[in-house]
Amino acid sequence: MSDMEPEEVARRVAGGDRRACARLITRIEQRDPSALAIRDLLPVRGAFKIGITGPPGAGKSTLVDLIVHHARAEGVTVGVLAVDPSSPRTGGALLGDRIRMQGHATDPGVFIRSMGTRGHYGGLAAATSDAARVLDAFGCSVILLETVGVGQTEVEVVDLADVTILVLGPNAGDGIQAMKAGIMEVPDLFVVNKADLPGADAAVLEIRRLLAEDVDLPMTPGVSPVAGPADRVFATRALDDPARNGVPELWRAIRERQLALAAPAQLEEVP
């Protein structure tokens, strides 16, 4: 690809060439100036970006896998940028997240990419925003951004995502108040994952209580406040059965926010 003209590379990516897409993201991660120039030639299609953040062990990758499965059942094309800790030897991603999503590896409607943090703070990799631009041009209509999840300050995703989801484990109930001043201020939606384990119900109730008490916790700009805390908190579990895993309800809330964000633009287009 290095001997191609920038316009040709951009054309291939926009035409759905997976190899060209993957190679361009690699070069962008390496901060290759020519790759950044190609990025600027790509069309902007307006993919809806979903941020998935939360502490280690909450099951973010498992939840992302379930969301992808549900989105694909509706025919939605999906891109996943999963940020992993960097390898101390190569600087690349440790690939834990991508390994957990291998069930989608042969699906042409899904593009999964692990990215190492490469020393970047904030929960994302330095190249995540540019990589999302590439996946948008490639044709992904929804892009999932999974943060590395190493602490309470991993909130950079809120600036890139259209909707941000905080994933917590079932044992998070006692620590939610302590998290209030950090990561609890970021999300539009809350998910208590592994909800089949003890403590999940208590965690859901604690989050709803916090939301009911603190009207200053923000919502995505342009989205009308929902009816109440119960509409922002979901319980999910790692089951294939969509009638029992809680993902359809979460996906419905995500799509509602997507429609709400699109509505002002649609109104502006009306003559």
Side-chain angles (χ1 to χ4, degrees), residues 96-107:
D97 291 325
R98 190 161 61 180
I99 288 171
R100 286 188 284 272
M101 301 177 201
Q102 283 303 301
H104 305 290
T106 60
D107 185 345

Side-chain angles (χ1 to χ4, degrees), residues 20-221:
C21 180
R23 288 183 175 179
L24 180 56
I25 291 176
T26 296
R27 289 173 58 187
I28 283 175
E29 284 190 280
Q30 297 167 347
R31 309 317 284 170
D32 182 338
S34 64
L36 298 176
I38 295 169
R39 171 207 62 191
D40 293 338
L41 297 174
L42 296 172
V44 177
R45 304 187 194 275
F48 187 69
K49 295 181 285 295
I50 304 168
I52 309 287
T53 191
K60 294 187 297 296
S61 296
T62 301
L63 180 61
V64 167
D65 184 68
L66 290 171
I67 291 174
V68 171
H69 180 80
H70 196 80
R72 290 299 296 142
E74 294 187 0
V76 176
T77 53
V78 182
V80 178
L81 295 175
V83 182
D84 277 324
S86 292
S87 164
R89 292 188 176 183
T90 67
L94 292 178
L95 303 182
D97 291 325
R98 190 161 61 180
I99 288 171
R100 286 188 284 272
M101 301 177 201
Q102 283 303 301
H104 305 290
T106 60
D107 185 345
V110 180
F111 190 104
I112 301 172
R113 179 69 177 235
S114 288
M115 309 181 74
T117 54
R118 297 174 182 252
H120 186 75
Y121 294 98
L124 298 176
T128 301
S129 178
D130 291 332
R133 170 82 179 272
V134 175
L135 291 185
D136 174 48
F138 176 68
C140 297
S141 58
V142 166
I143 300 173
L144 291 158
L145 309 166
E146 181 188 343
T147 73
V148 69
V150 295
Q152 274 186 243
T153 59
E154 316 307 313
V155 296
E156 185 179 347
V157 68
V158 74
D159 294 326
L160 181 56
D162 297 302
V163 61
T164 304
I165 301 170
L166 174 61
V167 185
L168 299 170
N171 58 350
D174 293 339
I176 289 173
Q177 275 290 347
M179 298 170 67
K180 180 178 173 182
I183 202 169
M184 288 293 290
E185 297 176 351
V186 169
D188 303 291
L189 303 173
F190 297 78
V191 169
V192 175
N193 200 21
K194 307 178 184 179
D196 49 326
L197 298 179
D201 290 343
V204 168
L205 290 174
E206 179 63 15
I207 296 170
R208 287 176 176 171
R209 185 186 66 79
L210 174 63
L211 294 176
E213 291 180 354
D214 196 337
V215 295
D216 294 327
L217 289 177
M219 288 292 292
T220 301

